[in-house]
Amino acid sequence: MKRIPVMLFGAGGVGQALLQQIVNGRSTTATRNNCQLDVICVADSKSYAWAADGLTDQQLQAIVSAKQQGQPVNAANPERPSDLQLLETAVTARPQNLILVDVTAAAGMEPLLDTALAQGHRVVLANKKPLAGPWATAQTYFHHLRLRHESTVGGGQPVIATLRYLLDVNDPIHEISGQLSGSLGYICSQLDGGTPFSEAIASAKALGYTEPDPRDDLGGQDVMRKILILGRMAGWPLEAADLKLESLYPAAMADLSVPDFMARLGELDETMGERVATAVTHQQVLRYVAHVSAEGGSVSLQALPAASPLANMKYISFRSALYDDEPLLIGGKGAGVHMTAAGVLGDILDLVRETTSE
Ligand SMILES: NC(=O)c1ccc[n+]([C@@H]2O[C@H](COP(=O)([O-])OP(=O)(O)OC[C@H]3O[C@@H](n4cnc5c(N)ncnc54)[C@H](OP(=O)(O)O)[C@@H]3O)[C@@H](O)[C@H]2O)c1
């Protein structure tokens, strides 16, 4: 049985779910893929745990418990080496078949990823930021044979795999669109029922559907990164500036504390209420929709016919030469840490099958 060393950067919701899935899936992984995943390093922002032969399942479960209680990965490691030093240690101990997994939400991971790829190692990303940075630095990650990033768009649904398939069969992509945010989808559906914008946001936050600071969702940056990644995969070397982005809160509210922002949300109700009312008079509903094509794209609140299927589902749509008059649609749940982690695990095993040396 092949033993595959895995380094995990990030131990938040997705990282914890991934560790749990690796532990729970040991026998399936052995039977289906004839391999054992040795998690040799788990690092969060402040600490790390390490074992050259792989942390035991008990140790991995203890890490998950510690993180769930708000503690670091390893309270006994106050001096955390840099990401590059951790990679160097891992490469010295286990140079063959290493897979580095980035499930942080951090900016600035590129030097680590570039070094790993340049040394011939393999990389899996759920972190969108390296793929959505300036094209000059991001282009190296697109269609790289030793890099996978299924979970960056669609929360684990096979979105990237589908796009890769269309490109493989030489089916030129014309346009990609979709509703790419579960939290904004929820807020829009609340508006349909007449709930004021402020209440819809407050309830989404209370249910844990938004980031702790809802502006991280309402600003549309995360959706913009997703549609930019899809556009770049389709072959268009776009920059973020090529996408017109509509934020759902005004710039004047950007610097407020979270409690102040929440307290002043009511100021947005009248304008949003008018937009909802105009949509209703045309039998339409508001949805936060992303589009991209070779020329650029947009991420904005749009009025869609209330009865149309696309107004009523979370979806990603590919219009291509083969799927021209009737686009290829992927729809479904596509959200949450467990599905996202499953997408990461799928990527790890895909790399094991396709690129592992004997
Ligand atoms: N949550 C979802 O449903 C979902 C869906 C699709 C994609 N994603 C993407 O998946 C990634 C992870 O999401 P999440 O919800 O798990 O985020 P999260 O809960 O915020 O966790 C992020 C983790 O990264 C760690 N971290 C930050 N900088 C680091 C560094 N330089 N080295 C190592 N670890 C570092 C943090 O450390 P500390 O614990 O010390 O702060 C934390 O453990 C994000 O990029 C997100 O956009 C998430």
Side-chain angles (χ1 to χ4, degrees), residues 48-340:
Y48 75 109
W50 163 264
D53 285 336
L55 295 154
T56 65
D57 286 353
Q58 265 182 330
Q59 287 171 317
L60 295 176
Q61 263 151 351
I63 288 170
V64 172
S65 302
K67 291 303 292 179
Q68 283 170 348
Q69 289 160 32
Q71 291 161 15
V73 157
N74 185 353
N77 267 328
E79 286 285 317
R80 181 196 185 286
S82 70
D83 293 346
L84 281 167
Q85 286 166 334
L86 285 174
L87 175 63
E88 197 181 321
T89 308
V91 171
T92 306
R94 299 285 296 269
Q96 290 298 314
N97 291 321
L98 182 68
I99 297 181
L100 186 155
V101 180
D102 175 2
V103 291
T104 72
M109 297 299 280
E110 289 85 347
L112 174 71
L113 307 177
D114 292 346
T115 306
L117 290 171
Q119 292 178 351
H121 308 299
R122 300 169 292 178
V123 167
V124 175
L125 302 174
N127 184 3
K128 294 173 267 290
K129 286 178 184 160
L131 295 160
W135 178 243
T137 52
Q139 62 180 308
T140 178
Y141 308 129
F142 286 87
H143 306 290
H144 194 295
L145 292 175
R146 284 180 279 106
L147 185 142
R148 300 285 184 277
H149 59 94
E150 184 61 70
S151 290
T152 52
V153 185
Q157 292 174 325
V159 170
I160 303 294
T162 302
L163 181 49
R164 189 173 285 133
Y165 158 76
L166 292 174
L167 296 166
D168 281 348
V169 299
N170 196 25
D171 183 14
I173 310 296
H174 295 162
E175 187 192 18
I176 305 170
S177 60
Q179 288 185 49
L180 300 171
S181 163
S183 49
L184 296 179
Y186 171 83
I187 289 168
C188 287
S189 67
Q190 295 297 297
L191 297 178
D192 297 349
T195 305
F197 191 41
S198 57
E199 281 179 33
I201 295 168
S203 101
K205 179 169 161 48
L207 289 164
Y209 294 166
T210 67
E211 294 295 323
D213 182 344
R215 283 169 293 194
D216 291 344
D217 301 285
L218 297 168
Q221 287 286 342
D222 197 53
V223 173
M224 185 277 290
R225 286 190 192 104
K226 292 177 189 173
I227 201 75
L228 182 61
I229 289 170
L230 293 178
R232 286 174 165 184
M233 269 200 79
W236 310 314
L238 299 168
E239 298 290 355
D242 296 317
L243 303 173
K244 208 161 163 268
L245 175 67
E246 179 187 0
S247 169
L248 298 185
Y249 68 90
M253 294 173 89
D255 295 327
L256 299 176
S257 67
V258 175
D260 286 350
F261 175 71
M262 296 304 292
R264 287 182 49 187
L265 271 178
E267 295 171 22
L268 307 178
D269 284 346
E270 191 179 337
T271 311
M272 188 59 81
E274 284 167 7
R275 287 179 78 172
V276 173
T278 306
V280 167
T281 57
H282 296 92
Q283 288 83 46
Q284 292 174 326
V285 289
L286 298 181
R287 294 290 180 265
Y288 200 69
V289 180
H291 290 282
V292 71
S293 65
E295 289 76 39
S298 65
V299 179
S300 62
L301 203 57
Q302 296 185 7
L304 303 180
S308 67
L310 296 189
N312 295 291
M313 65 190 281
K314 192 160 177 276
Y315 72 94
I316 291 162
S317 149
F318 296 105
R319 206 164 57 72
S320 64
L322 289 174
Y323 293 90
D324 192 10
D325 45 354
E326 205 175 320
L328 174 59
L329 282 183
I330 299 174
K333 193 172 161 197
V337 294
H338 296 289
M339 286 186 64
T340 305

